[in-house]
Amino acid sequence: MSSGLNPAQQEAVNYVSGPCLVLAGAGSGKTRVITMKIGRLIQAGLEPKRIAAITFTNKAAAEMRERAKHLIGRDAKNVMVCTFHALGVRMMREDGGVLGLKPAFSILDADDVTKILKDAGGTTDAATARIWQWTISKWKNMGLNSAQAEAEAADDNERVIARIMARYEERLVAYQSVDFDDLIGMPLKLLKDFPEVRAKWQAALGHVLVDEYQDTNATQYEVLKALVGERGRFTAVGDDDQSIYGWRGATLDNLKKLPVDFPNLKVIKLEQNYRSTSAILRAANNVIGPNPKLFPKTLFSELGEGEPVRIVDADSEAHEAERAVARIQGLRETSQHKEFRDFAILYRANHQARVFEQALRKAQIPYKVSGGQSFFDRAEIKDLCGWFRLWVNQDDDPAFLRAVTTPKRGIGHQTLQSLGVFASQYKLSLFEALFSSSLPSVMPKRALEGLHEFGRYINELEYKARQTHGAEDSRAFMMEWLKEIDYEKHLYDGEDSEQAAAARWTNVMEFVDWMTQRAGGTIDDTSGAMEVSERKSLLEVAKTISLLSTISEREQDQNVVTLSTLHASKGLEWPHVMLIGVTEGLLPFKLDDDNGRQEKVSDDILTRLQEERRLMYVGITRAQRSLAVSWTKKRKKGREMVQAIPSRFIAEMGLDKTTAKEDPREKLKALRAEFAKRAADGAAAAAAAAAAAP
Ligand SMILES: Nc1ncnc2c1ncn2[C@@H]1O[C@H](COP(=O)(O)OP(=O)(O)OP(=O)(O)O)[C@@H](O)[C@H]1O
Ligand SMILES: [Mg+2]
């Protein structure tokens, strides 16, 4: 058990009787401490299911589960390794009833929320809806409901948003849905207001471990505190220099609060970095240097100096992408680490990936875009899947609510709310409740007619879907159905930009293709099988789509180059990392477009600059063996191209430019010298051979 840990790490792993904080820089083995400590706790007699390890993303959770399995074996399976949000889901499925939530509630993603807000606030403008969304989310994270938000509103604008929030809340209740913020806020309410629920969870969990603690927000901290109670059996690990979610409410106050709230907190610092070469680590330390120090830290590496960090200046994005591809190809020739999975290209904003995707495709280099939205997570695809799920299982309440509201068919949220109340009173699914003989006594006639019509339509569709046989039938059926519900118009009504609506419709058509292919009878060339597959009814195909959500998780071990935002790269590592778009205006991101009040703004700018700097630090410290940082001489600003300069962070890395700068001419010179040497060696060998010949 003790192998592969230094004494400070070992101390953190062994200390199981009280609260423990490991505060240390990147790559110092914090995540490793968490993984090993899971094993230590099990060894000390704690049942695996009484251990919760909380990570920041699903991907990180999957990786930790993998690492734990490797270290601990089968027992790891029962440990709860998940995000705060997933833990929240579990608590609400088990105990949400006391808050009036059915166990089968559905979870809305950002797209769904925008849609509901557009409807609740009567706008089609996505930008406006996003501002509402952002404000409401901020309030929810502060623990405010709409009434409290209205009471505390700073101005008329906020008062308006608070009223929209009230309508939004009503809709969530009617739709038996929760948003991401609720996944933290509601569990907190459960723990705070229901002592028996709190007692149950405190007893259920013997130890809670939290990775990336610096990026928890105030509500998450409250959840943690309530879960561990006064005994405070938890281990938090984090690095204040890697706090990059301040814009989403994460707060370093959580780090400062710990020793106050838990006076017996044991604080452990780690100083050795096991990930990166000294050259990379030095650049990282230099970049983070100018930020104010919350907790002073030093980091050293024993992996040797390594390759110098490369600075690449490119004329344009396309040129930058070409250079990146060339670098990958070059390193695949020369480096020890030559698998595609050894490479990552990291950037500040999602849209920067596109040009690189094109270049990689052209060079036939396989890649994946991590942190991007999966096809089946898109709102329009979820809409259609909602209908399919309802044909398959009429008791699927979230699917019912999705289908009945998209597109809108004159059944309002009040009707749905009374239907929901009626259904839970009689313990029926919403669909069953629809045709109950007692429903007319609680439902106005017109509303009832609307509901019945919808119910009949679903039955009819289900019948027809059952009758289809093979791809052609399925396509015809789906196209007719989409026309009947006027789905294309629904998409155009919901978007202010035609382009966005058209993109969604293209996705819908892609989905139709995908479904029909599965209905069989055609040659399925995507599977490579080149066979005529068995014909199925569309209903049979629909039965398989509930399994789809797991698709994206299977991408894990592919041997491909990773494209990722800096935010999504946190906690991960690759032998070769390329940070692209390290151009002033991109990273740090737009610091110059503030136009509010002077003093406040300069404060804001400084705070934001510091967060951007931490983001750069996170990026640099993902690299194990080689790091290249590139910038472009031109960049897009709005619609035009403007002259650009390298990011200030490049200067801050403090590299010796003469050795670090990658100059193709230098490379060529080196190559020529190499060839000349080989030729000379060859000639010498030939001469020697000739001389030795009898
Ligand atoms: N004592 C050790 N001996 C050898 N390798 C170690 C040791 N501790 C950690 N490592 C390795 O160093 C790398 C970084 O460790 P880890 O990911 O746990 O760091 P971290 O502090 O969580 O980093 P980050 O701040 O980026 O999340 C991993 O590859 C890990 O296996
Ligand atoms: Mg980590």
Side-chain angles (χ1 to χ4, degrees):
M1 196 75 240
S2 65
S3 66
L5 291 175
N6 64 34
Q9 289 176 321
Q10 191 68 62
E11 189 186 3
V13 166
N14 286 345
Y15 184 69
V16 295
S17 55
C20 177
L21 170 67
V22 178
L23 192 64
S28 58
K30 299 181 296 295
T31 303
R32 190 182 180 103
V33 162
I34 295 229
T35 319
M36 298 294 266
K37 194 155 183 175
I38 294 174
R40 173 78 184 94
L41 288 161
I42 294 173
Q43 199 186 43
L46 195 61
E47 280 175 277
K49 65 169 197 233
R50 297 192 57 215
I51 302 172
I54 299 175
T55 58
F56 201 69
T57 59
N58 290 323
K59 193 173 154 63
E63 200 165 286
M64 183 172 295
R65 239 176 264 132
E66 208 38 56
R67 284 203 212 180
K69 202 164 82 195
H70 196 72
L71 283 168
I72 308 157
R74 270 193 333 182
D75 277 345
K77 186 172 93 252
N78 297 323
V79 177
M80 213 192 312
V81 183
C82 60
T83 61
F84 263 114
H85 290 92
L87 176 67
V89 172
R90 172 141 174 209
M91 293 176 67
M92 283 152 71
R93 297 245 188 257
E94 280 183 33
D95 298 308
V98 294
L99 298 174
L101 208 57
K102 284 187 168 191
F105 64 86
S106 41
I107 301 161
L108 305 172
D109 60 20
D111 251 1
D112 300 329
V113 172
T114 317
K115 216 159 111 181
I116 296 177
L117 279 175
K118 279 179 178 172
D119 179 54
T123 182
T124 57
D125 182 47
T128 312
R130 264 197 301 274
I131 292 172
W132 296 345
Q133 194 166 348
W134 186 84
T135 313
I136 291 172
S137 170
K138 189 185 71 181
W139 284 334
K140 285 183 125 176
N141 277 315
M142 288 161 63
L144 303 178
N145 62 27
S146 59
Q148 292 160 324
E150 189 169 351
E152 291 186 23
D155 52 32
D156 280 346
N157 185 30
E158 285 199 0
R159 256 183 293 282
V160 170
I161 302 180
R163 270 175 233 138
I164 293 168
M165 180 176 174
R167 270 173 261 154
Y168 173 69
E169 285 168 344
E170 277 170 24
R171 279 166 176 73
L172 292 202
V173 173
Y175 303 162
Q176 281 287 310
S177 300
V178 301
D179 61 24
F180 280 140
D181 298 320
D182 291 329
L183 296 182
I184 311 297
M186 287 190 173
L188 181 59
K189 207 171 157 58
L190 283 175
L191 292 168
K192 273 197 160 159
D193 300 350
F194 300 90
E196 68 289 354
V197 176
R198 182 171 63 237
K200 170 187 146 179
W201 283 93
Q202 285 186 353
L205 295 176
H207 202 101
V208 181
L209 305 121
V210 187
D211 200 2
E212 307 280 359
Y213 178 71
Q214 76 280 357
D215 275 323
T216 50
N217 65 27
T219 328
Q220 287 165 338
Y221 177 60
E222 292 295 316
V223 169
L224 174 69
K225 234 167 65 172
L227 276 178
V228 300
E230 281 186 2
R231 283 201 318 172
R233 297 221 170 136
F234 69 85
T235 304
V237 310
D239 176 7
D240 48 309
D241 288 334
Q242 293 187 69
S243 150
I244 53 176
Y245 282 90
W247 55 281
R248 221 167 65 182
T251 167
L252 285 174
D253 285 347
N254 289 349
L255 271 173
K256 297 184 204 151
K257 271 188 212 153
L258 269 191
V260 181
D261 291 347
F262 298 92
N264 58 339
L265 181 75
K266 187 176 193 79
V267 181
I268 293 173
K269 294 188 178 179
L270 307 176
E271 307 204 304
Q272 179 161 1
N273 171 300
Y274 292 92
R275 179 181 292 146
S276 315
T277 61
S278 296
I280 293 168
L281 200 58
R282 197 165 52 243
N285 286 337
N286 286 343
V287 160
I288 204 64
N291 267 16
K293 297 275 158 291
L294 195 55
F295 302 95
K297 285 185 300 246
T298 46
L299 264 190
F300 68 93
S301 160
E302 286 181 352
L303 295 176
E305 174 64 16
E307 287 286 302
V309 175
R310 297 286 173 192
I311 305 297
V312 179
D313 34 350
D315 300 328
S316 62
E317 272 192 324
H319 184 219
E320 190 183 26
E322 252 170 57
R323 299 284 298 268
V325 166
R327 186 172 168 85
I328 293 175
Q329 288 166 334
L331 283 166
R332 275 172 57 79
E333 296 290 323
T334 56
S335 168
Q336 248 183 302
H337 305 273
K338 45 181 75 195
E339 297 296 326
F340 288 122
R341 69 163 70 84
D342 294 335
F343 294 84
I345 298 176
L346 309 179
Y347 38 82
R348 176 68 178 84
N350 272 310
H351 68 82
Q352 291 174 267
R354 225 191 47 232
V355 180
F356 287 78
E357 283 191 66
Q358 282 161 3
L360 290 167
R361 234 180 262 170
K362 210 169 118 199
Q364 300 193 310
I365 295 177
Y367 67 88
K368 66 171 180 211
V369 181
S370 136
Q373 200 183 25
S374 133
F375 184 72
F376 290 95
D377 286 339
R378 290 172 207 275
E380 58 278 16
I381 305 304
K382 287 195 346 193
D383 282 350
L384 303 186
C385 286
W387 285 79
F388 280 64
R389 275 163 46 203
L390 194 55
W391 302 339
V392 174
N393 168 20
Q394 300 193 324
D395 294 336
D396 185 337
D397 284 352
F400 177 94
L401 290 165
R402 188 120 201 161
V404 78
T405 50
T406 42
K408 278 223 220 61
R409 45 178 56 245
I411 297 176
H413 65 277
Q414 253 147 10
T415 304
L416 292 174
Q417 192 161 12
S418 358
L419 182 70
V421 170
F422 177 86
S424 45
Q425 209 170 13
Y426 289 90
K427 301 213 179 334
L428 302 170
S429 72
L430 294 171
F431 198 88
E432 285 173 321
L434 208 69
F435 291 111
S436 153
S437 55
S438 323
L439 187 63
S441 60
V442 298
M443 189 69 78
K445 191 150 175 283
R446 261 198 57 193
L448 194 67
E449 272 167 14
L451 286 172
H452 282 170
E453 194 192 304
F454 176 72
R456 278 194 298 270
Y457 185 47
I458 291 295
N459 283 334
E460 183 191 317
L461 286 173
E462 193 246 19
Y463 176 77
K464 282 192 191 161
R466 199 187 287 280
Q467 306 301 314
T468 58
H469 191 59
E472 278 128 71
D473 271 10
S474 294
R475 175 181 299 278
F477 168 86
M478 285 174 76
M479 293 312 288
E480 193 186 309
W481 160 59
L482 288 171
K483 217 161 103 195
E484 276 170 7
I485 63 174
D486 219 349
Y487 192 70
E488 193 173 4
K489 178 167 179 298
H490 167 77
L491 291 180
Y492 278 84
D493 287 349
E495 292 286 347
D496 41 335
S497 114
E498 287 210 352
Q499 214 182 351
R504 288 190 189 277
W505 182 247
T506 309
N507 288 337
V508 169
M509 289 299 109
E510 221 172 280
F511 181 67
V512 170
D513 286 346
W514 190 84
M515 289 293 286
T516 49
Q517 230 173 43
R518 262 140 201 83
T522 51
I523 293 172
D524 180 6
D525 54 4
T526 52
S527 72
M530 298 300 273
E531 274 173 14
V532 178
S533 51
E534 190 195 335
R535 285 172 204 268
K536 290 187 211 140
S537 79
L538 192 59
L539 198 70
E540 284 170 277
V541 178
K543 280 181 187 160
T544 62
I545 63 172
S546 60
L547 303 171
L548 288 180
S549 53
T550 51
I551 278 187
S552 48
E553 282 171 22
R554 250 190 288 134
E555 289 171 1
Q556 293 284 329
D557 309 319
Q558 291 167 339
N559 188 11
V560 299
V561 172
T562 299
L563 295 182
S564 170
T565 61
L566 288 163
H567 281 101
S569 76
K570 205 170 60 148
L572 307 177
E573 57 191 19
W574 295 269
H576 309 293
V577 168
M578 286 169 254
L579 300 184
I580 59 148
V582 189
T583 309
E584 198 64 25
L586 284 175
L587 181 67
F589 191 66
K590 286 190 213 158
L591 288 170
D592 53 359
D593 59 356
D594 267 289
N595 48 8
R597 286 151 304 205
Q598 272 312 318
E599 280 151 76
K600 174 129 190 327
V601 167
S602 57
D603 252 16
D604 277 358
I605 286 189
L606 192 60
T607 314
R608 275 167 49 199
L609 176 63
Q610 287 168 358
E611 182 146 325
E612 296 289 308
R613 187 176 280 125
R614 291 192 291 265
L615 204 49
M616 180 75 182
Y617 174 77
V618 167
I620 297 173
T621 52
R622 298 311 96 201
Q624 295 173 299
R625 293 290 168 275
S626 87
L627 174 67
V629 177
S630 64
W631 66 281
T632 55
K633 290 172 190 159
K634 289 198 207 83
R635 74 173 174 95
K636 250 206 220 118
K637 188 174 183 184
R639 293 220 170 119
E640 40 175 335
M641 296 301 287
V642 295
Q643 293 293 323
I645 54 169
S647 164
R648 67 190 82 188
F649 297 147
I650 290 185
E652 287 179 5
M653 283 163 77
L655 305 170
D656 173 4
K657 296 223 171 46
T658 52
T659 58
K661 193 154 166 169
E662 185 168 307
D663 183 343
R665 281 162 306 187
E666 288 290 319
K667 211 168 188 175
L668 209 60
K669 242 175 25 200
L671 271 177
R672 286 207 182 111
E674 169 79 21
F675 280 131
K677 185 169 173 294
R678 276 197 215 166
D681 288 351

